[in-house]
Amino acid sequence: MDVVNQLQRQFIDYSASLHREGFLDDQFTQLQKLQDDNSPDFVVEVASLFFEDCEKLINNMARALEQQQGVDFKQVDASVHQLKGSSSSIGAMRVKDVCIAFRSFCEAQNREGCLRCLQQVTHEYSLLKNKLQTLFRLQQQILAAGGSIPVVE
Amino acid sequence: MVLAESGFSSPRNDAFPAGLRVLVVDDDPTWLKILEKMLKKCSYEVTTCCLAREALNLLRERKDGYDIVISDVNMPDMDGFKLLEHVGLEMDLPVIMMSVDGETSRVMKGVQHGACDYLLKPIRMKELRNIWQHVFRKKIHEVRDIESLEGFESIQMTRSGYDLFDDGHFLSGDDTTSGRKRKDADNKHDDRELSDPSSTKKARVVWTVDLHQKFVKAVNQIGFDKVGPKKILDLMNVPWLTRENVASHLQKYRLYLSRLQKESDIKNSFIGMKHSDLPSKDSTASFGPHKAMNMIPDDVPNGTYSFSASNSLAQNVDLKGQGDLKGITSAPVAEPKGALSIDIHDSHEAKSTQMSFDHSLGSVDSAVSFASFNSTTPLQYPWTEIPEIQFKQECEPLHLENGFSQLPLPGPSMIENEANRSRIEVKPLLDECRSNFVEHLGPVGAEDLFPIQSKSQSLNNQVFDLISATKSSMKTQDVGLNYLADSEFALRNLNASGVGVPLATLSEDLQICWLQGDCYPMNYGLQDLECSTYDNPGLMAETPFHLYDVLRFDHEHLFDPTEYYAIDQGLFA
């Protein structure tokens, strides 16, 4: 029980910090609430889908921006828009914020600006991925120790 | 149990809104999963798909299989707004749009296209929980459309009304009262359906082309102003159809027409002289399918008109165009309120344009057809009415009419929109055209034709636009723009070919459209469309006939299945 309590406390603290630092917003909490007995791994599954989608979109953007003969900004913008939508699904606030800036650069057809944003987005995405993986690991540990995942409001 | 076949009344509805059948369309896999989970938590029955096309297929396969559709605005294969239109037209289901982009213009666009709500992502579960209200509301409105309730039906209603929705726990606490009221209304609806022997509404009515044509015909006969579901129903004489069906269809038709109007207006504004090279193509105008040439340049397809810029397309257009034209005509037609008076008071609104266009086309067509076939019977459309409409357009096409007389026309601006009100013009034109055309388009010479063409072109364009608009709405594909393009082409071709367009068909279409203003080009019956004899040279000979029909505002040719289909294919491709 002690172990479980400790783990749970860790989990709560870590969750809170993620929220505080803007990595996750309320949407993530909503997802956690959706998780139930019917779908016990709901949050993890959603996160996996998000990571997959993210990687695909980032690759698309990178490819489009690499075009020497002329960048198709519409295409880049479309991908950014999709990424924005995706990040809103899981509550990835920081990723979403970069997307907003990214879109303005696309509109302005500013390749340099876009490349910078792409870098930022990639960075934010990696950070988030690591943090979520840590969180999920904690969750697993709690469950393995017989405890339940606390819901952080 | 009261609940039976009608949309709402199925066993699962015992605890409405539980079991609400939702179709979610989103290309984002993460959101699709989340939405599915949220909706399931609301006890709804969820179906997901990530492609708009797939969604349409699902909806078509099971016409009565869903209660509501939720779709994202941005999708790779089709614009969410187009999907929205298709669903609204074909299935008459409430559609909710979603997007991470909440710009006012986008939201407005959604509403304009018929969305009953627009949700911003991230979507909360409580927003999804209440989507049943849209389904309910639609039902109620359909019910209200019914002109009268039989006495015994009311009694039944009251009696069983309270049984349904007993289970009010899906309504949030504060909604209970209003919910109860709504429930009663809904029950009423269900009851009516059940108790009315003539209403066998088990599944959603599929508005095939034929059915729609009957509908449009009836509306025209009654007069757009005085139209009402019961009158239409009586005229249509379709035993299994209910007033409700007609009422909701009428509603959509009206919306559709007004939408087309707007679009045609826009189109008209920039149509200008798109047609660049059509004329040459069509000189041979084999007017073939007249089809409601009236409005839609489609009639032209008869060969000469290849409306679309490309000849091949034109040919198709003939067939399709007709349909499309019809559609278009309807759109513009919608505006003119007067049933028969084609008085399209508008302006350049697409409607008038269309109308005029149609007419002009009609006249042109007739003229053309005439010319080619040397028929002696001038298209005697009951143009009287039409002229008004036609003329409204500032379109030159009106000139066509006048022009016909002169054929190479540019003739008297009588045809001009305003002036054209008089039907007389139409007739004289026809006669004139006849004489002018005697030689066939060929001899007339390109220039000759052109003058008319340009006029007709503008009309055509408009018509096309309308048609396109119509088509798009009708077709599931991104017809919209394509259609417009096609229509424009068609129109151009029409123009080009001079007046080969079988006026008869056009006039019919036009007339129908005008009168009703409700032309509702629905692609409902695409598959049911039978190719009219558009391609048939023999048709030309029949032109006078058609014209006559047109005069009677007979929609029958409104939709040219073949045209429809052809165009559709192109679009889909």
Side-chain angles (χ1 to χ4, degrees):
Chain A
M1 260 316 134
D2 239 3
V3 174
V4 172
N5 281 343
Q6 254 187 327
L7 287 171
Q8 284 175 330
R9 192 143 348 112
Q10 262 187 292
F11 179 84
I12 293 173
D13 288 342
Y14 197 66
S15 264
S17 78
L18 288 183
H19 278 80
R20 213 174 28 243
E21 289 163 25
F23 284 102
L24 295 172
D25 64 14
D26 187 48
Q27 177 65 14
F28 192 77
T29 314
Q30 297 291 319
L31 292 187
Q32 288 176 308
K33 286 192 188 166
L34 281 177
Q35 187 159 290
D36 57 15
D37 293 338
N38 287 340
S39 49
D41 299 315
F42 183 68
V43 185
V44 176
E45 284 165 7
V46 172
S48 309
L49 282 173
F50 169 68
F51 294 146
E52 262 175 45
D53 211 27
C54 238
E55 277 162 34
K56 187 185 76 180
L57 290 170
I58 288 179
N59 283 337
N60 286 350
M61 293 179 219
R63 232 169 332 163
L65 286 168
E66 267 167 32
Q67 298 300 317
Q68 292 307 324
Q69 41 276 82
V71 178
D72 184 355
F73 284 101
K74 274 213 162 79
Q75 204 192 334
V76 181
D77 184 68
S79 293
V80 177
H81 182 81
Q82 270 185 276
L83 181 60
K84 188 178 169 201
S86 223
S87 60
S88 71
S89 76
I90 200 174
M93 237 174 35
R94 283 158 74 132
V95 175
K96 185 164 136 186
D97 287 343
V98 178
C99 285
I100 295 174
F102 203 153
R103 287 198 87 187
S104 334
F105 283 117
C106 283
E107 238 176 286
Q109 308 223 340
N110 182 337
R111 189 161 174 266
E112 282 310 308
C114 282
L115 284 169
R116 268 201 311 275
C117 279
L118 180 63
Q119 246 186 333
Q120 265 182 289
V121 129
T122 311
H123 177 67
E124 288 297 338
Y125 157 74
S126 309
L127 274 180
L128 180 63
K129 187 169 179 183
N130 283 339
K131 298 213 177 256
L132 279 177
Q133 281 171 339
T134 306
L135 191 71
F136 293 146
R137 238 191 335 264
L138 269 177
Q139 266 186 237
Q140 285 303 104
Q141 287 176 317
I142 295 175
L143 292 172
S148 60
I149 318 290
V151 178
V152 184
E153 292 290 346
Chain B
M1 198 57 210
V2 178
L3 303 177
E5 312 280 340
S6 70
F8 256 32
S9 47
S10 57
R12 62 180 169 72
N13 278 331
D14 282 358
F16 178 81
L20 197 71
R21 297 162 305 171
V22 187
L23 176 66
V24 186
V25 191
D26 196 335
D27 65 320
D28 184 331
T30 324
W31 269 114
L32 212 54
K33 189 180 174 77
I34 296 175
L35 289 168
E36 184 184 28
K37 182 72 185 169
M38 285 189 182
L39 290 165
K40 282 196 171 141
K41 280 228 162 189
C42 296
S43 301
Y44 294 156
E45 238 178 65
V46 190
T47 310
T48 60
C49 64
C50 55
L51 285 177
R53 242 158 257 221
E54 191 191 321
L56 279 172
N57 287 339
L58 284 173
L59 287 165
R60 285 177 182 147
E61 273 168 38
R62 295 170 58 204
K63 280 267 171 174
D64 202 28
Y66 303 95
D67 295 313
I68 188 166
V69 178
I70 302 183
S71 167
D72 190 81
V73 165
N74 293 85
M75 282 188 291
D77 65 332
M78 186 194 293
D79 184 20
F81 296 118
K82 284 219 171 67
L83 172 64
L84 165 57
E85 271 196 15
H86 282 299
V87 175
L89 283 179
E90 288 183 43
M91 292 112 202
D92 191 26
L93 286 176
V95 182
I96 294 179
M97 302 302 289
M98 320 178 272
S99 179
V100 67
D101 178 3
E103 255 173 61
T104 307
S105 59
R106 299 292 277 174
V107 178
M108 188 166 305
K109 193 171 177 194
V111 175
Q112 276 172 344
H113 281 74
C116 57
D117 206 351
Y118 193 108
L119 302 177
L120 291 189
K121 288 178 171 175
I123 298 177
R124 291 281 179 269
M125 196 150 119
K126 57 184 177 236
E127 295 176 75
L128 291 181
R129 213 182 271 284
N130 279 340
I131 61 173
W132 61 265
Q133 62 175 290
H134 303 294
V135 185
F136 194 90
R137 191 178 298 121
K138 222 174 172 79
K139 286 281 177 182
I140 295 186
H141 288 164
E142 277 180 11
V143 171
R144 285 202 198 118
D145 282 340
I146 307 297
E147 289 179 327
S148 64
L149 284 175
E150 321 294 5
F152 75 97
E153 279 176 345
S154 327
I155 295 171
Q156 283 214 306
M157 265 177 354
T158 6
R159 227 185 7 185
S160 48
Y162 301 7
D163 291 348
L164 293 172
F165 309 138
D166 226 4
D167 184 350
H169 68 259
F170 280 104
L171 301 170
S172 58
D174 28 323
D175 287 345
T176 323
T177 335
S178 46
R180 194 159 291 286
K181 287 197 198 120
R182 283 196 292 263
K183 288 194 302 191
D184 290 347
D186 193 64
N187 289 345
K188 216 190 281 201
H189 177 65
D190 290 341
D191 288 355
R192 185 174 314 113
E193 284 184 0
L194 296 170
S195 50
D196 181 0
S198 65
S199 105
T200 51
K201 184 179 173 188
K202 292 175 178 245
R204 265 178 216 292
V205 170
V206 175
W207 282 88
T208 63
V209 169
D210 287 340
L211 193 61
H212 180 69
Q213 284 185 358
K214 282 203 176 90
F215 169 82
V216 180
K217 187 174 177 175
V219 172
N220 283 342
Q221 273 179 261
I222 297 169
F224 193 50
D225 293 348
K226 318 187 215 83
V227 83
K230 180 162 176 28
K231 288 180 191 164
I232 299 173
L233 185 67
D234 291 342
L235 268 178
M236 279 177 75
N237 193 25
V238 176
W240 53 268
L241 202 62
T242 68
R243 267 190 311 258
E244 294 156 351
N245 301 144
V246 175
S248 69
H249 191 73
L250 178 61
Q251 197 176 41
K252 281 194 289 185
Y253 189 56
R254 284 189 173 128
L255 284 174
Y256 174 80
L257 287 174
S258 62
R259 252 205 304 271
L260 285 177
Q261 256 309 218
K262 292 200 192 92
E263 282 182 36
S264 61
D265 290 344
I266 295 171
K267 276 243 154 224
N268 291 334
S269 49
F270 69 72
I271 288 195
M273 302 285 295
K274 287 187 181 185
H275 5 280
S276 30
D277 36 26
L278 304 179
S280 41
K281 298 189 202 159
D282 311 310
S283 21
T284 42
S286 29
F287 305 113
H290 309 292
K291 235 176 51 159
M293 282 293 294
N294 306 335
M295 305 272 287
I296 312 180
D298 288 332
D299 288 282
V300 181
N302 291 318
T304 43
Y305 285 96
S306 47
F307 296 103
S308 42
S310 53
N311 272 330
S312 53
L313 185 52
Q315 331 263 292
N316 288 336
V317 175
D318 292 352
L319 292 182
K320 296 187 288 192
Q322 311 236 326
D324 294 336
L325 284 175
K326 294 203 190 152
I328 300 191
T329 37
S330 31
V333 179
E335 301 247 345
K337 304 301 179 64
L340 297 190
S341 51
I342 302 197
D343 200 349
I344 305 197
H345 49 86
D346 294 305
S347 43
H348 313 300
E349 307 259 63
K351 283 209 293 201
S352 32
T353 325
Q354 295 187 336
M355 304 271 288
S356 355
F357 184 65
D358 295 326
H359 289 293
S360 30
L361 283 181
S363 33
V364 171
D365 293 334
S366 17
V368 174
S369 22
F370 250 66
S372 38
F373 296 100
N374 285 332
S375 38
T376 44
T377 2
L379 304 174
Q380 315 258 5
Y381 307 100
W383 283 103
T384 54
E385 261 117 7
I386 301 180
E388 292 173 352
I389 303 185
Q390 302 175 332
F391 298 122
K392 277 189 152 277
Q393 289 273 340
E394 50 217 43
C395 312
E396 321 244 47
L398 292 180
H399 278 289
L400 289 179
E401 293 183 332
N402 289 322
F404 280 107
S405 39
Q406 315 182 345
L407 252 200
L409 70 130
S413 44
M414 298 224 316
I415 311 192
E416 310 272 6
N417 307 347
E418 287 77 31
N420 298 328
R421 298 302 175 79
S422 54
R423 319 204 186 142
I424 303 174
E425 302 185 285
V426 179
K427 287 215 174 122
L429 286 176
L430 291 178
D431 292 341
E432 291 181 325
C433 290
R434 242 190 309 161
S435 44
N436 290 328
F437 272 84
V438 175
E439 359 232 306
H440 310 293
L441 297 181
V444 176
E447 320 80 299
D448 288 346
L449 290 177
F450 282 24
I452 302 180
Q453 287 174 355
S454 35
K455 296 196 195 179
S456 48
Q457 282 191 328
S458 35
L459 280 179
N460 285 331
N461 288 328
Q462 293 174 341
V463 172
F464 268 114
D465 290 336
L466 290 175
I467 301 180
S468 311
T470 326
K471 283 200 195 170
S472 24
S473 39
M474 303 226 271
K475 300 209 191 234
T476 51
Q477 296 301 333
D478 321 316
V479 208
L481 291 186
N482 295 333
Y483 275 121
L484 287 174
D486 289 346
S487 348
E488 287 181 0
F489 272 154
L491 287 177
R492 296 210 216 141
N493 288 323
L494 281 178
N495 290 322
S497 45
V499 254
V501 179
L503 287 176
T505 28
L506 276 180
S507 38
E508 281 182 336
D509 289 335
L510 287 176
Q511 295 198 342
I512 301 183
C513 296
W514 288 342
L515 294 182
Q516 306 187 330
D518 280 341
C519 289
Y520 198 49
M522 308 231 253
N523 42 19
Y524 292 162
L526 272 185
Q527 49 281 15
D528 305 331
L529 294 178
E530 348 170 13
C531 292
S532 343
T533 51
Y534 293 107
D535 301 330
N536 215 331
L539 281 183
M540 289 311 288
E542 295 163 14
T543 303
F545 241 153
H546 291 214
L547 289 179
Y548 238 85
D549 285 347
V550 174
L551 292 181
R552 285 182 277 120
F553 307 109
D554 184 346
H555 277 295
E556 278 158 14
H557 299 286
L558 208 69
F559 295 103
D560 185 351
T562 48
E563 285 182 345
Y564 224 30
Y565 206 65
I567 298 188
D568 195 28
Q569 316 245 296
L571 292 175
F572 280 92

